Amino acid sequence: MKPFATRLLIVLTVILGVNYLAWRWLDSLNWSAWWIAVPLVLAETYSLIDVGLFGLAMWRIRERKAPPPPADATVDVFITTYDEPLDLVMTTALAAKDIRYPHSTWILDDGARPELADLAARHGLGYLTRSGDWADKPRHAKAGNLNNALMVTQGEFLLILDADQIPQPDILDNTLGYFNQRRVALVQTPQYFSNVPADDPLGSQAPLFYGPIQQGKDGWNAAFFCGSNALLRREALMQLGLAGYVTEVERGVHRALAGARSAIRKARRSPEAADPLVAGLLDEVEAATDAAREKLKAGGSLSEITYDLRTKVEGAVRTLVAGNFAALEADLAEIAAMELGSELGTPEPDQLDGAVERMSQRDWSPLGALGSVQAVLDAVSVERPDEAQPVMPLATISVTEDMATSMRLHSMGWESVYHHEVLAYGLAPEDLKTMLTQRLRWAQGTIQVMLRENPLAQRGLKLGQRLMYFSTMWSYLSGFAAVVYFAAPVIYLTLGILPVSSLSTDFFIRFIPFMVVNQLLFAVVGKGVSTWRGQQYSLALFPTWIKACTTAARNVWLGRPLGFAVTPKARQAEGNSWHLILPQLVAIALLLVALVVGAVRLATGLNEPVGTLVNVAWVIFDLLILSVLVKAVRYKGFTPDERNVDAVHR
């Protein structure tokens, strides 16, 4: 009965939502106040798309049975760390060592701490840090750490754990059996935090995501890697790395050929290009470049293409150098003759200076252009000298390696599994600053992936997979919609300007049923799990989401550095944190002022009673949303007696 009820609610939500939005666009816009009317209807359209994508995920929600017993396999357990406290890392490492299924445990220390290496050796644990090949090369944060470890270990499967995620002894027994299916490359389990009180003031637990949402994505074969508490098949990762290697080399050749053609065309504008010898050489190199581009399109050998073109360019450079050397000898001979004439007392006025000036102004751009072409081709190397290692199995295109990696695996035909059982217990942020740092990094990484490898245009993905990945990326655009949702009631209560033509019966009979059914859908798929805290933070953190979008866009489009901040695993120094939520405090102040001004305007007849009532309710809802941050600022950290033991179980 439940799948039927869920799908019925999804259909009703979409129908009622489309009915409401159609009316909003066609009949209700207050064009005299277009500056708020249009942003509001755009925000509502954004929200309906978000609801539709959520409904699509819930349409195929998948509750898996226990996997079969695992076959014999070799497993490497990777514990990634950078600067976390040693006792924390060792607690996780020793718990990993006690996992029942036979395995090897490795501490991947990106901080290269000798004291941690000593502790690992003392307890019989593997210890890895970056090799010297990474010096002065891009490190790619956690992805680089894992890629480095992949090249020096051999396990068929990898269990990846963050330094604070303490695994249960049966984590491999309960998950490794999924890999009996040959095409399964990833098994993701929930991330659950043991230091979160029942009221979860920082919104760290994610029962909706690590539950119905991931189960829904699983139904579309789109459950994705979340960075920790996940098992991956080495073969799939290495295949991914090799495919990426080939792609990067091909891109390098394309860029080199485009750069070569551009350099040659610029050289043609040089006065020296009028020389028949120079013009002929440029024609030869350009023809060779065009031929190389055609061979590349036809799938020719990259090494043969670049070798043939490099040989042609080297020959042209030698010929051009010889020609320029002959001209140089002639100029020097002219100068020597003029100097001899000067000794005999018969120099022509300014003749010597003119000859020297001609030499100094000789345009060497054709030779420079061919030299540039030669340098560009030399830079196209199968060794990828700009990277520490040519093959990078885990994606390095964002500050979070997980989503891009799993999306690429899915595009190559591999499958994923979401196993809905808590098998590791981690530590959540215990202060607002740390939480904001963590959420910003997550959002930045997701937006980077969307801008660099948008799943809607990703080759190899099925339609459902495209939409499941896009829905997660789309959700981080909510910050822009939230600004409009906070501004609209303030504008009406203080200025009397409605973004709709009127709050008529048409509005209520369309809007209220849509909202009621939408909340019913959340209640049904949530199975009684509270989703209110998640709804609060999805809107209350609007400055964080906006910053993530703008900084990620500047990074992708303009090359601005983004950086990578490791989430601290201990509570940060005590202090005043109110400045961290200044935009939200301004919003709260404006909403409170709007309530007072709206009451005054209602009493004086400047505002309509119905409009005032609707917008007062809207303001109260907005204040309830933002109130979570007041509690977050005042949160003093976790105490053991507050532990929320209601873990999510399969």
Side-chain angles (χ1 to χ4, degrees):
M1 179 65 181
K2 182 166 177 208
F4 174 78
T6 301
R7 291 184 175 185
L8 177 61
L9 287 171
I10 292 169
V11 172
L12 289 174
T13 298
V14 172
I15 291 174
L16 293 172
V18 170
N19 178 57
Y20 170 70
L21 255 296
W23 174 78
R24 287 284 288 114
W25 276 104
L26 298 175
D27 295 322
S28 75
L29 287 180
N30 180 7
W31 288 106
S32 63
W34 63 268
W35 48 272
I36 182 60
V38 173
L40 180 58
V41 75
L42 287 173
E44 290 178 299
T45 303
Y46 164 84
S47 297
L48 179 60
I49 294 173
D50 198 41
V51 169
L53 291 170
F54 175 76
L56 186 65
M58 298 305 100
W59 192 266
R60 280 196 182 180
I61 193 166
R62 184 171 187 176
E63 299 183 7
R64 290 180 178 268
K65 297 179 181 179
D72 291 338
T74 56
V75 181
D76 287 324
V77 178
F78 287 168
I79 300 161
T80 59
T81 178
Y82 176 64
D83 61 358
E84 293 85 354
L86 298 185
D87 59 342
L88 183 147
V89 177
M90 289 306 299
T91 298
T92 300
L94 292 175
K97 184 180 179 182
D98 290 339
I99 293 173
R100 286 196 293 262
Y101 191 90
H103 65 284
S104 299
T105 302
W106 299 88
I107 296 175
L108 313 186
D109 183 16
D110 230 7
R113 293 166 287 181
E115 58 273 28
L116 184 54
D118 291 341
L119 286 169
R122 195 181 311 162
H123 290 89
L125 301 167
Y127 176 86
L128 293 172
T129 189
R130 306 282 185 120
S131 67
D133 295 337
W134 291 85
D136 302 321
K137 300 287 178 63
R139 293 183 67 82
H140 302 302
K142 182 179 174 182
N145 193 8
L146 289 166
N147 284 332
N148 177 73
L150 277 166
M151 296 305 166
V152 293
T153 57
Q154 298 179 338
E156 298 171 77
F157 302 98
L158 316 170
L159 170 60
I160 296 177
L161 299 169
D162 283 344
D164 64 305
Q165 293 284 342
I166 300 175
Q168 299 299 290
D170 58 353
I171 186 170
L172 293 178
D173 294 305
N174 292 8
T175 54
L176 203 55
Y178 288 114
F179 290 104
N180 293 350
Q181 296 182 41
R182 185 69 186 79
R183 296 306 298 171
V184 171
L186 164 70
V187 176
Q188 178 67 56
T189 70
Q191 293 187 25
Y192 188 84
F193 304 103
S194 58
N195 64 331
V196 173
D199 59 349
D200 194 11
L202 299 180
S204 297
Q205 306 288 25
L208 186 62
F209 177 78
Y210 287 113
I213 290 179
Q214 276 281 54
Q215 289 175 307
K217 293 179 186 294
D218 193 21
W220 294 95
N221 186 28
F224 60 79
F225 178 30
C226 298
S228 183
N229 307 0
L231 287 88
L232 294 105
R233 186 187 294 269
R234 179 185 292 269
E235 177 192 350
L237 287 176
M238 296 310 296
Q239 181 185 350
L240 182 62
L242 290 171
Y245 161 74
V246 172
T247 299
E248 285 302 314
V249 173
E250 286 181 343
R251 287 175 181 170
V253 174
H254 277 290
R255 288 193 296 266
L257 295 178
R261 198 173 188 188
S262 176
I264 293 167
R265 288 182 174 179
K266 288 180 181 178
R268 289 191 183 282
R269 297 196 289 267
S270 165
E272 195 171 326
D275 185 302
L277 172 65
V278 174
L281 291 173
L282 292 176
D283 287 342
E284 287 182 19
V285 174
E286 185 171 17
T289 303
D290 290 339
R293 290 164 66 97
E294 291 302 318
K295 291 178 182 176
L296 189 61
K297 289 180 183 178
S301 166
L302 295 179
S303 59
E304 290 181 7
I305 291 170
T306 54
Y307 175 79
D308 291 345
L309 181 57
R310 189 180 290 111
T311 301
K312 178 68 70 174
V313 173
E314 287 173 353
V317 168
R318 284 195 297 269
T319 303
L320 191 56
V321 167
N324 276 281
F325 186 73
L328 180 61
E329 283 184 320
D331 285 336
L332 290 173
E334 180 183 352
I335 292 173
M338 285 186 288
E339 288 178 340
L340 178 61
S342 175
E343 292 174 1
L344 298 174
T346 58
E348 293 293 331
D350 299 325
Q351 191 176 23
L352 180 62
D353 290 341
V356 173
E357 181 69 16
R358 287 197 304 276
M359 286 186 64
S360 66
Q361 291 184 351
R362 181 181 296 280
D363 195 329
W364 298 91
S365 60
L367 180 58
L370 292 177
S372 298
V373 172
Q374 197 172 22
V376 168
L377 291 173
D378 288 341
V380 179
S381 171
V382 294
E383 296 178 355
R384 295 185 66 194
D386 56 322
E387 294 284 3
Q389 56 189 47
V391 175
M392 294 281 189
L394 277 88
T396 59
I397 64 169
S398 81
V399 293
T400 52
E401 75 294 335
D402 41 23
M403 177 182 288
T405 298
S406 56
M407 188 169 71
R408 291 177 177 181
L409 287 171
H410 282 129
S411 70
M412 295 180 67
W414 291 97
E415 298 176 4
S416 64
V417 168
Y418 175 66
H419 180 78
H420 190 47
E421 178 184 11
V422 175
L423 293 169
Y425 292 83
L427 298 178
E430 293 196 27
D431 62 274
L432 180 63
K433 182 178 180 181
T434 303
M435 182 268 278
L436 293 176
T437 299
Q438 181 189 68
R439 305 296 170 81
L440 177 63
R441 189 182 78 247
W442 290 349
Q444 285 174 327
T446 302
I447 297 299
Q448 281 180 306
V449 176
M450 182 177 73
L451 297 178
R452 287 188 169 127
E453 295 184 1
N454 192 317
L456 297 181
Q458 191 78 357
R459 294 176 60 183
L461 291 177
K462 296 179 180 178
L463 178 60
Q465 292 173 320
R466 295 173 191 270
L467 294 174
M468 290 302 99
Y469 277 105
F470 183 73
S471 66
T472 300
M473 301 169 182
W474 179 258
S475 67
Y476 282 115
L477 303 178
S478 63
F480 300 102
V483 171
V484 180
Y485 290 145
F486 293 138
V490 172
I491 290 171
Y492 175 76
L493 292 174
T494 57
L495 302 176
I497 298 175
L498 269 176
V500 296
S501 55
S502 67
L503 291 172
S504 61
T505 303
D506 284 338
F507 170 79
F508 292 105
I509 64 175
R510 286 174 170 81
F511 178 74
I512 292 178
F514 167 58
M515 288 301 297
V516 169
V517 173
N518 184 29
Q519 290 303 309
L520 279 175
L521 175 60
F522 274 92
V524 169
V525 300
K527 306 176 186 177
V529 175
S530 175
T531 61
W532 172 240
R533 187 66 80 226
Q535 292 183 59
Q536 282 183 295
Y537 274 111
S538 69
L539 292 175
L541 294 185
F542 69 92
T544 300
W545 310 143
I546 292 173
K547 181 180 179 181
C549 292
T550 55
T551 55
R554 286 201 299 266
N555 172 260
V556 173
W557 294 336
L558 303 177
R560 302 279 181 85
L562 201 59
F564 180 87
V566 176
T567 304
K569 298 301 186 289
R571 180 174 174 82
Q572 301 302 286
E574 296 288 343
N576 188 342
S577 298
W578 292 102
H579 67 283
L580 298 174
I581 58 167
L582 184 59
Q584 292 95 325
L585 293 176
V586 171
I588 290 172
L590 291 174
L591 290 166
L592 291 173
V593 169
L595 285 178
V596 176
V597 174
V600 172
R601 289 178 62 88
L602 177 64
T604 56
L606 294 176
N607 282 357
E608 297 178 356
V610 175
T612 300
L613 180 63
V614 169
N615 282 276
V616 164
W618 193 347
V619 166
I620 292 172
F621 177 78
D622 285 346
L623 289 172
L624 287 173
I625 289 290
L626 294 170
S627 66
V628 68
L629 292 172
V630 175
K631 189 168 186 177
V633 171
R634 297 167 63 87
Y635 180 51
K636 299 301 181 184
F638 170 75
T639 54
D641 60 342
E642 295 178 313
R643 177 172 177 172
N644 182 6
V645 295
D646 297 327
V648 181
H649 289 283
R650 182 172 52 84

